[in-house]
Amino acid sequence: SQQGEEDPQALSIQEGENATMNCSYKTSINNLQWYRQNSGRGLVHLILIRSNEREKHSGRLRVTLDTSKKSSSLLITASRAADTASYFCATDTGTASKLTFGTGTRLQVTL
Amino acid sequence: DTAVSQTPKYLVTQMGNDKSIKCEQNLGHDTMYWYKQDSKKFLKIMFSYNNKELIINETVPNRFSPKSPDKAHLNLHINSLELGDSAVYFCASSQDSGASGRKFFGPGTRLTVL
């Protein structure tokens, strides 16, 4: 069954604004990862946060993890048109490194 | 110098045919995967191989058979294609099968069954 659910399903913002995407999951995890998928392309790994971490930064990305609520958020600050893509959270429960993906958030950044 | 490559990029075929998708990674990774992404963008793991051995086999029909001739290659053969097999298939690899986790994805193969 699907592990991650993302919210919102679609998000449209203007360049320079911040974009926040949320992910909720159902079972205990070893880590949670965020991926980006540009239209017609494969997925690109953005950031990984382990279950014992609460926050992680990478450039304009900030990820939080709340294991008590089984949720994570991805914040993209000062968005750019090039950030337009679908963003997926994926949970790793430690079962042979099987990643279970969420439903994705489609982000549109307009000029 | 593509890390994970797949061929073909597009595959259009008739129902009932047999087809194969090839995947190669030049990252020296031990583990490779096949994922299926449906029309609603939902990604689901199908298979995982570690050093040529099958370690994950989700509830995939027997018509799908992965083959790993060496740890750099994981091919997917599909027999008796059905309309519902239409999707984008992604190959991926990772350093190991443990929880360290980061996956490298190929560009995808868009399969259309007519």
Side-chain angles (χ1 to χ4, degrees):
Chain A
S1 64
Q2 196 169 309
Q3 169 77 316
E5 299 263 349
E6 272 139 271
D7 168 55
Q9 289 190 338
L11 180 60
S12 183
I13 59 174
Q14 290 194 318
E15 206 172 45
E17 293 180 337
N18 295 341
T20 300
M21 289 158 262
N22 302 298
C23 169
S24 60
Y25 57 92
K26 296 175 183 172
T27 62
S28 297
I29 61 171
N30 280 342
N31 66 67
L32 185 143
Q33 304 175 33
W34 285 90
Y35 287 80
R36 184 185 73 224
Q37 184 180 31
N38 288 80
S39 181
R41 301 287 187 91
L43 284 83
V44 174
H45 180 270
L46 295 175
I47 197 164
L48 180 154
I49 186 165
R50 300 191 189 284
S51 60
N52 60 354
E53 297 175 312
R54 292 297 166 257
E55 188 170 312
K56 206 160 182 182
H57 296 254
S58 176
R60 292 184 296 113
L61 305 180
R62 173 178 166 251
V63 168
T64 62
L65 179 65
D66 186 335
T67 52
S68 66
K69 295 181 180 177
K70 292 187 169 59
S71 68
S72 173
S73 68
L74 170 67
L75 168 67
I76 305 174
T77 60
S79 63
R80 304 166 182 168
D83 294 329
T84 295
S86 290
Y87 292 82
F88 294 87
C89 69
T91 51
D92 188 332
T93 60
T95 306
S97 197
K98 182 178 81 169
L99 270 187
T100 304
F101 283 83
T103 49
T105 293
R106 291 187 307 280
L107 174 66
Q108 176 78 40
V109 181
T110 55
L111 294 171
Chain B
D1 59 348
T2 305
V4 182
S5 58
Q6 297 177 226
T7 54
K9 188 170 173 64
Y10 300 97
L11 186 52
V12 181
T13 187
Q14 298 285 336
M15 228 170 30
N17 284 350
D18 304 338
K19 290 293 178 187
S20 292
I21 308 171
K22 295 186 176 182
C23 177
E24 176 181 1
Q25 54 95 3
N26 62 6
L27 298 166
H29 288 168
D30 290 333
T31 309
M32 296 183 72
Y33 312 81
W34 277 108
Y35 282 83
K36 178 180 179 181
Q37 186 174 45
D38 62 23
S39 58
K40 295 183 179 177
K41 302 293 186 187
F42 177 49
L43 261 164
K44 186 174 167 57
I45 190 166
M46 300 172 68
F47 300 102
S48 169
Y49 269 72
N50 179 260
N51 273 319
K52 303 194 297 176
E53 289 193 22
L54 181 67
I55 55 172
I56 294 175
N57 183 351
E58 292 295 286
T59 50
V60 178
N62 291 338
R63 298 182 295 103
F64 290 79
S65 54
K67 286 186 171 53
S68 182
D70 55 62
K71 76 173 193 176
H73 295 84
L74 181 63
N75 304 322
L76 183 65
H77 189 76
I78 315 170
N79 290 328
S80 303
L81 278 156
E82 299 177 358
L83 294 176
D85 298 332
S86 295
V88 182
Y89 292 83
F90 287 98
C91 177
S93 72
S94 63
Q95 179 60 44
D96 54 42
S97 61
S100 54
R102 175 183 175 174
K103 308 287 187 289
F104 292 77
F105 281 81
T109 295
R110 181 174 294 277
L111 171 65
T112 303
V113 182
L114 304 174

